[in-house]
Amino acid sequence: MSTLLFYNFKGGVGKTTISVLAADHLSRTGKKVLLIDLDAQASATLFLKNSYGNIVPKRSLYNSLQKGSLRPSIFHLDKNLDLIPADWDMSLWNQSLEKLPQYDRNLVLQKLIQPLKDDYDFIILDIPPTLSTLVNNAVLASDYIILVLQTQSASYEGVLRTAKYLAQLRKDYDARFKLLGIVLYLVSKSANSDTTIANEARKTFGDAIFANSIYHRERVKRWSNEGLTHKPNDVHDRRTHKMYSLFLKEVLFRIGEDK
Ligand SMILES: Nc1ncnc2c1ncn2[C@@H]1O[C@H](COP(=O)(O)OP(=O)(O)OP(=O)(O)O)[C@@H](O)[C@H]1O
Ligand SMILES: [Mg+2]
Protein backbone atom coordinates (compact mmCIF):
# COMPACT_ATOMS: atom_id res chain seq x y z
CA MET A 1 0.00 0.00 0.00
CA SER A 2 1.25 3.47 -0.87
CA THR A 3 -0.01 6.86 0.21
CA LEU A 4 0.36 9.56 -2.43
CA LEU A 5 0.30 13.33 -2.02
CA PHE A 6 0.33 15.97 -4.75
CA TYR A 7 1.86 18.99 -3.15
CA ASN A 8 2.41 22.72 -3.53
CA PHE A 9 1.81 25.58 -1.10
CA LYS A 10 0.36 27.57 -3.93
CA GLY A 11 -3.32 27.38 -4.74
CA GLY A 12 -4.89 26.52 -8.05
CA VAL A 13 -2.03 24.50 -9.55
CA GLY A 14 -4.14 21.45 -10.34
CA LYS A 15 -3.50 19.34 -7.24
CA THR A 16 -7.11 18.37 -6.70
CA THR A 17 -7.67 17.59 -10.35
CA ILE A 18 -4.61 15.34 -10.51
CA SER A 19 -5.65 13.64 -7.26
CA VAL A 20 -9.14 12.88 -8.56
CA LEU A 21 -7.89 11.72 -11.95
CA ALA A 22 -5.23 9.59 -10.27
CA ALA A 23 -7.90 7.96 -8.10
CA ASP A 24 -10.06 7.37 -11.17
CA HIS A 25 -7.29 5.92 -13.32
CA LEU A 26 -5.71 3.74 -10.68
CA SER A 27 -9.07 2.30 -9.63
CA ARG A 28 -9.93 1.57 -13.26
CA THR A 29 -6.73 -0.37 -13.67
CA GLY A 30 -7.81 -2.63 -10.81
CA LYS A 31 -6.06 -0.97 -7.87
CA LYS A 32 -8.08 -0.45 -4.72
CA VAL A 33 -8.05 3.28 -4.06
CA LEU A 34 -9.16 5.55 -1.23
CA LEU A 35 -9.15 9.29 -1.79
CA ILE A 36 -9.19 11.42 1.37
CA ASP A 37 -10.32 15.01 0.89
CA LEU A 38 -8.70 17.02 3.68
CA ASP A 39 -9.58 20.40 2.19
CA ALA A 40 -12.54 22.30 3.71
CA GLN A 41 -13.11 23.77 0.22
CA ALA A 42 -14.08 20.19 -0.66
CA SER A 43 -13.20 20.56 -4.36
CA ALA A 44 -12.36 16.87 -4.77
CA THR A 45 -15.60 15.91 -3.05
CA LEU A 46 -17.59 18.22 -5.30
CA PHE A 47 -15.83 16.91 -8.43
CA LEU A 48 -16.77 13.36 -7.44
CA LYS A 49 -20.27 14.34 -6.42
CA ASN A 50 -20.74 15.74 -9.91
CA SER A 51 -19.57 12.38 -11.22
CA TYR A 52 -21.28 9.91 -8.86
CA GLY A 53 -24.19 11.76 -7.23
CA ASN A 54 -24.78 12.44 -3.56
CA ILE A 55 -22.02 11.52 -1.15
CA VAL A 56 -23.24 11.00 2.40
CA PRO A 57 -20.84 9.27 4.80
CA LYS A 58 -22.08 8.02 8.17
CA ARG A 59 -19.81 10.46 9.95
CA SER A 60 -17.92 13.57 8.82
CA LEU A 61 -14.15 13.36 8.43
CA TYR A 62 -13.69 15.99 11.10
CA ASN A 63 -15.70 13.95 13.61
CA SER A 64 -13.80 10.82 12.67
CA LEU A 65 -10.48 12.59 13.20
CA GLN A 66 -11.69 13.66 16.64
CA LYS A 67 -12.99 10.22 17.55
CA GLY A 68 -9.93 8.36 16.35
CA SER A 69 -11.29 6.12 13.56
CA LEU A 70 -11.70 7.03 9.90
CA ARG A 71 -13.78 4.03 8.83
CA PRO A 72 -17.27 5.53 9.43
CA SER A 73 -16.35 8.34 7.02
CA ILE A 74 -15.52 6.07 4.08
CA PHE A 75 -18.03 6.32 1.25
CA HIS A 76 -18.01 3.72 -1.49
CA LEU A 77 -18.17 5.31 -4.96
CA ASP A 78 -17.36 2.63 -7.46
CA LYS A 79 -15.69 -0.69 -7.93
CA ASN A 80 -12.24 -0.21 -6.35
CA LEU A 81 -12.90 3.44 -5.50
CA ASP A 82 -13.73 4.87 -2.05
CA LEU A 83 -13.78 8.45 -0.85
CA ILE A 84 -13.58 10.15 2.51
CA PRO A 85 -15.33 13.40 1.64
CA ALA A 86 -14.58 16.78 3.17
CA ASP A 87 -17.07 19.18 4.63
CA TRP A 88 -16.90 22.77 5.91
CA ASP A 89 -16.09 21.46 9.41
CA MET A 90 -12.62 20.41 8.20
CA SER A 91 -11.74 24.09 8.60
CA LEU A 92 -11.84 23.44 12.37
CA TRP A 93 -9.25 20.68 12.33
CA ASN A 94 -6.13 22.83 12.31
CA GLN A 95 -7.20 24.67 15.40
CA SER A 96 -8.15 21.52 17.25
CA LEU A 97 -4.71 20.04 16.49
CA GLU A 98 -3.05 22.99 18.19
CA LYS A 99 -4.29 21.63 21.51
CA LEU A 100 -2.05 18.57 21.19
CA PRO A 101 1.62 18.54 22.19
CA GLN A 102 3.76 20.10 19.48
CA TYR A 103 5.42 16.90 18.28
CA ASP A 104 2.31 14.70 18.31
CA ARG A 105 0.02 17.12 16.53
CA ASN A 106 1.64 16.41 13.15
CA LEU A 107 1.21 12.64 13.41
CA VAL A 108 -2.54 12.24 13.93
CA LEU A 109 -3.41 11.37 10.33
CA GLN A 110 -0.50 8.95 9.96
CA LYS A 111 -1.78 6.96 12.95
CA LEU A 112 -5.40 6.93 11.76
CA ILE A 113 -4.50 5.84 8.23
CA GLN A 114 -2.44 2.91 9.46
CA PRO A 115 -5.40 0.53 10.08
CA LEU A 116 -6.78 1.22 6.56
CA LYS A 117 -3.59 0.29 4.78
CA ASP A 118 -4.45 -3.37 4.29
CA ASP A 119 -7.70 -2.46 2.53
CA TYR A 120 -6.16 -0.40 -0.27
CA ASP A 121 -3.39 -0.36 -2.85
CA PHE A 122 -3.33 3.43 -2.88
CA ILE A 123 -4.50 6.13 -0.51
CA ILE A 124 -4.43 9.58 -2.11
CA LEU A 125 -4.58 12.70 0.05
CA ASP A 126 -5.93 16.00 -1.24
CA ILE A 127 -4.88 19.02 0.79
CA PRO A 128 -5.55 22.75 0.88
CA PRO A 129 -2.81 25.12 -0.36
CA THR A 130 -1.50 26.12 3.04
CA LEU A 131 1.46 25.71 5.30
CA SER A 132 -0.34 24.26 8.27
CA THR A 133 -0.48 21.52 10.82
CA LEU A 134 -3.08 19.82 8.63
CA VAL A 135 -0.67 19.76 5.71
CA ASN A 136 2.17 18.53 7.94
CA ASN A 137 -0.13 15.67 8.89
CA ALA A 138 -0.65 14.80 5.24
CA VAL A 139 3.07 14.98 4.49
CA LEU A 140 3.96 12.68 7.37
CA ALA A 141 1.20 10.25 6.42
CA SER A 142 2.57 10.00 2.86
CA ASP A 143 4.90 7.48 1.28
CA TYR A 144 5.36 9.43 -1.95
CA ILE A 145 5.08 13.15 -2.59
CA ILE A 146 4.86 14.67 -6.05
CA LEU A 147 5.40 18.40 -6.39
CA VAL A 148 3.08 20.14 -8.83
CA LEU A 149 4.66 23.10 -10.60
CA GLN A 150 2.46 25.40 -12.57
CA THR A 151 4.87 26.86 -15.04
CA GLN A 152 2.98 30.04 -15.84
CA SER A 153 3.84 31.34 -12.43
CA ALA A 154 7.02 29.26 -12.48
CA SER A 155 8.19 29.72 -8.97
CA TYR A 156 11.44 27.81 -8.97
CA GLU A 157 12.39 29.33 -5.64
CA GLY A 158 9.03 28.09 -4.46
CA VAL A 159 9.99 24.54 -5.39
CA LEU A 160 13.35 24.84 -3.67
CA ARG A 161 11.74 26.29 -0.56
CA THR A 162 9.19 23.50 -0.61
CA ALA A 163 11.87 20.83 -0.96
CA LYS A 164 13.76 22.39 1.96
CA TYR A 165 10.64 22.49 4.09
CA LEU A 166 9.88 18.84 3.37
CA ALA A 167 13.48 17.86 4.09
CA GLN A 168 13.30 19.56 7.49
CA LEU A 169 10.03 17.83 8.33
CA ARG A 170 11.50 14.51 7.26
CA LYS A 171 14.49 15.06 9.50
CA ASP A 172 12.49 16.20 12.53
CA TYR A 173 10.25 13.14 12.33
CA ASP A 174 12.70 10.67 10.90
CA ALA A 175 10.04 10.18 8.22
CA ARG A 176 10.36 7.88 5.21
CA PHE A 177 8.37 9.69 2.54
CA LYS A 178 10.04 9.96 -0.83
CA LEU A 179 9.96 12.95 -3.14
CA LEU A 180 8.99 11.21 -6.33
CA GLY A 181 9.46 14.17 -8.65
CA ILE A 182 7.99 17.34 -10.06
CA VAL A 183 5.10 17.34 -12.50
CA LEU A 184 4.69 20.37 -14.75
CA TYR A 185 1.26 21.83 -15.29
CA LEU A 186 1.70 23.73 -18.54
CA VAL A 187 -0.91 26.40 -19.06
CA SER A 188 0.61 28.52 -21.81
CA LYS A 189 -1.31 29.08 -25.01
CA SER A 190 1.26 27.77 -27.48
CA ALA A 191 3.03 24.45 -27.77
CA ASN A 192 6.25 26.34 -28.47
CA SER A 193 6.34 28.22 -25.22
CA ASP A 194 5.30 25.01 -23.43
CA THR A 195 8.41 23.34 -24.80
CA THR A 196 10.63 26.26 -23.81
CA ILE A 197 9.24 26.33 -20.28
CA ALA A 198 9.52 22.57 -19.91
CA ASN A 199 13.13 22.65 -21.15
CA GLU A 200 14.03 25.39 -18.70
CA ALA A 201 12.48 23.45 -15.85
CA ARG A 202 14.44 20.35 -16.91
CA LYS A 203 17.66 22.37 -16.97
CA THR A 204 17.01 23.49 -13.41
CA PHE A 205 15.64 20.30 -11.89
CA GLY A 206 16.95 17.58 -14.21
CA ASP A 207 15.39 14.14 -13.96
CA ALA A 208 13.23 15.23 -11.04
CA ILE A 209 10.83 16.56 -13.69
CA PHE A 210 8.40 13.93 -14.95
CA ALA A 211 8.70 13.33 -18.68
CA ASN A 212 4.92 13.51 -19.01
CA SER A 213 3.43 16.91 -18.23
CA ILE A 214 -0.15 17.98 -17.61
CA TYR A 215 -1.47 20.49 -20.16
CA HIS A 216 -4.36 22.87 -19.90
CA ARG A 217 -7.38 21.14 -21.43
CA GLU A 218 -10.89 22.56 -21.57
CA ARG A 219 -12.27 19.06 -21.06
CA VAL A 220 -10.94 19.07 -17.51
CA LYS A 221 -13.14 22.06 -16.66
CA ARG A 222 -16.17 20.33 -18.08
CA TRP A 223 -15.41 17.18 -16.06
CA SER A 224 -15.11 19.08 -12.82
CA ASN A 225 -18.44 20.88 -13.42
CA GLU A 226 -20.46 18.13 -15.01
CA GLY A 227 -18.75 14.96 -13.86
CA LEU A 228 -16.08 12.67 -15.24
CA THR A 229 -16.88 10.88 -18.48
CA HIS A 230 -15.09 8.10 -20.36
CA LYS A 231 -16.69 8.21 -23.78
CA PRO A 232 -14.63 6.04 -26.10
CA ASN A 233 -15.86 7.90 -29.20
CA ASP A 234 -15.16 11.34 -27.81
CA VAL A 235 -11.73 12.47 -28.90
CA HIS A 236 -11.39 15.06 -26.08
CA ASP A 237 -12.27 12.51 -23.41
CA ARG A 238 -9.78 10.07 -24.89
CA ARG A 239 -6.94 12.58 -25.26
CA THR A 240 -7.36 14.09 -21.83
CA HIS A 241 -7.49 10.71 -20.09
CA LYS A 242 -4.46 9.62 -22.09
CA MET A 243 -2.52 12.63 -20.80
CA TYR A 244 -3.25 11.79 -17.16
CA SER A 245 -2.71 8.08 -17.67
CA LEU A 246 0.75 8.60 -19.23
CA PHE A 247 1.74 10.69 -16.25
CA LEU A 248 0.37 8.10 -13.82
CA LYS A 249 2.22 5.31 -15.60
CA GLU A 250 5.38 7.23 -14.92
CA VAL A 251 4.37 7.65 -11.27
CA LEU A 252 3.92 3.87 -10.97
CA PHE A 253 7.23 3.32 -12.73
CA ARG A 254 9.02 5.59 -10.27
CA ILE A 255 7.35 3.85 -7.36
CA GLY A 256 8.40 0.52 -8.84
CA GLU A 257 4.86 -0.75 -9.47
CA ASP A 258 4.80 -0.67 -13.23
CA LYS A 259 4.48 -4.39 -13.70
N1 LIG B 1 -5.34 20.11 -16.98
C1 LIG B 1 -6.23 21.08 -16.75
N2 LIG B 1 -6.80 21.73 -17.77
C2 LIG B 1 -7.68 22.73 -17.57
N3 LIG B 1 -8.08 23.15 -16.37
C3 LIG B 1 -7.55 22.54 -15.29
C4 LIG B 1 -6.60 21.48 -15.41
N4 LIG B 1 -6.25 21.07 -14.17
C5 LIG B 1 -6.95 21.85 -13.31
N5 LIG B 1 -7.72 22.72 -13.97
C6 LIG B 1 -8.63 23.73 -13.41
O1 LIG B 1 -7.86 24.67 -12.67
C7 LIG B 1 -8.53 25.04 -11.48
C8 LIG B 1 -7.65 24.68 -10.28
O2 LIG B 1 -7.45 23.28 -10.28
P1 LIG B 1 -7.43 22.44 -8.94
O3 LIG B 1 -8.64 22.75 -8.13
O4 LIG B 1 -7.19 21.04 -9.31
O5 LIG B 1 -6.15 23.08 -8.27
P2 LIG B 1 -5.66 22.95 -6.75
O6 LIG B 1 -4.19 23.07 -6.79
O7 LIG B 1 -6.24 21.77 -6.11
O8 LIG B 1 -6.32 24.27 -6.12
P3 LIG B 1 -6.38 24.59 -4.54
O9 LIG B 1 -4.99 24.96 -4.20
O10 LIG B 1 -7.37 25.71 -4.44
O11 LIG B 1 -6.81 23.34 -3.84
C9 LIG B 1 -9.86 24.28 -11.48
O12 LIG B 1 -10.84 25.15 -12.00
C10 LIG B 1 -9.61 23.13 -12.43
O13 LIG B 1 -10.79 22.70 -13.09
MG1 LIG C 1 -7.35 21.59 -4.36
Side-chain angles (χ1 to χ4, degrees):
M1 205 295 308
S2 305
T3 306
L4 304 182
L5 175 68
F6 296 94
Y7 188 90
N8 194 315
F9 307 146
K10 269 179 62 72
V13 297
K15 297 183 297 295
T16 295
T17 307
I18 296 180
S19 302
V20 170
L21 268 297
D24 178 71
H25 279 248
L26 291 169
S27 65
R28 278 166 189 273
T29 56
K31 309 280 188 196
K32 286 222 67 168
V33 181
L34 171 68
L35 178 63
I36 306 182
D37 186 355
L38 294 157
D39 184 354
Q41 295 181 93
S43 338
T45 300
L46 190 62
F47 193 154
L48 288 163
K49 190 175 158 210
N50 292 339
S51 310
Y52 288 97
N54 253 351
I55 292 166
V56 200
K58 290 202 185 78
R59 190 163 79 188
S60 79
L61 172 55
Y62 176 70
N63 277 330
S64 284
L65 288 162
Q66 299 298 320
K67 295 205 159 94
S69 163
L70 296 180
R71 252 180 234 286
S73 295
I74 296 176
F75 190 82
H76 182 63
L77 288 179
D78 208 343
K79 189 172 176 238
N80 300 328
L81 179 60
D82 289 350
L83 169 74
I84 296 185
D87 214 329
W88 67 270
D89 58 357
M90 272 308 285
S91 55
L92 307 172
W93 195 42
N94 245 318
Q95 215 177 358
S96 84
L97 286 167
E98 305 296 324
K99 293 184 202 129
L100 299 175
Q102 183 132 28
Y103 187 84
D104 299 347
R105 70 176 65 146
N106 287 325
L107 294 170
V108 174
L109 187 64
Q110 187 194 78
K111 291 203 179 95
L112 294 183
I113 278 184
Q114 205 58 38
L116 305 179
K117 287 200 156 190
D118 286 345
D119 297 358
Y120 297 98
D121 298 306
F122 289 97
I123 295 180
I124 300 171
L125 308 174
D126 190 34
I127 51 170
T130 52
L131 263 180
S132 58
T133 311
L134 182 156
V135 169
N136 290 347
N137 267 271
V139 167
L140 293 170
S142 297
D143 299 306
Y144 299 102
I145 298 179
I146 294 157
L147 300 182
V148 183
L149 180 60
Q150 196 190 95
T151 50
Q152 202 175 39
S153 54
S155 164
Y156 298 134
E157 285 103 82
V159 171
L160 295 176
R161 262 205 315 275
T162 304
K164 236 186 205 164
Y165 181 78
L166 294 174
Q168 186 63 46
L169 208 51
R170 186 202 268 123
K171 192 161 158 238
D172 291 348
Y173 283 86
D174 195 18
R176 301 239 176 93
F177 64 80
K178 246 179 110 173
L179 267 183
L180 210 54
I182 303 169
V183 58
L184 303 179
Y185 174 23
L186 298 161
V187 287
S188 61
K189 291 276 178 281
S190 80
N192 254 351
S193 62
D194 276 350
T195 313
T196 313
I197 291 169
N199 284 343
E200 267 171 30
R202 285 204 175 87
K203 244 189 253 158
T204 313
F205 298 112
D207 289 344
I209 305 281
F210 281 89
N212 294 283
S213 302
I214 302 300
Y215 295 86
H216 186 85
R217 294 270 183 269
E218 285 309 313
R219 180 49 50 109
V220 173
K221 296 230 179 257
R222 172 165 341 160
W223 282 343
S224 76
N225 295 326
E226 297 172 19
L228 262 175
T229 49
H230 286 266
K231 295 184 194 138
N233 297 325
D234 183 325
V235 63
H236 298 292
D237 261 23
R238 272 209 322 269
R239 271 197 202 144
T240 311
H241 280 303
K242 180 93 186 164
M243 170 177 85
Y244 282 98
S245 78
L246 284 173
F247 162 63
L248 286 161
K249 255 200 181 142
E250 209 182 343
V251 168
L252 293 184
F253 180 78
R254 288 193 180 199
I255 291 176
E257 284 209 27
D258 59 322
K259 288 137 242 146

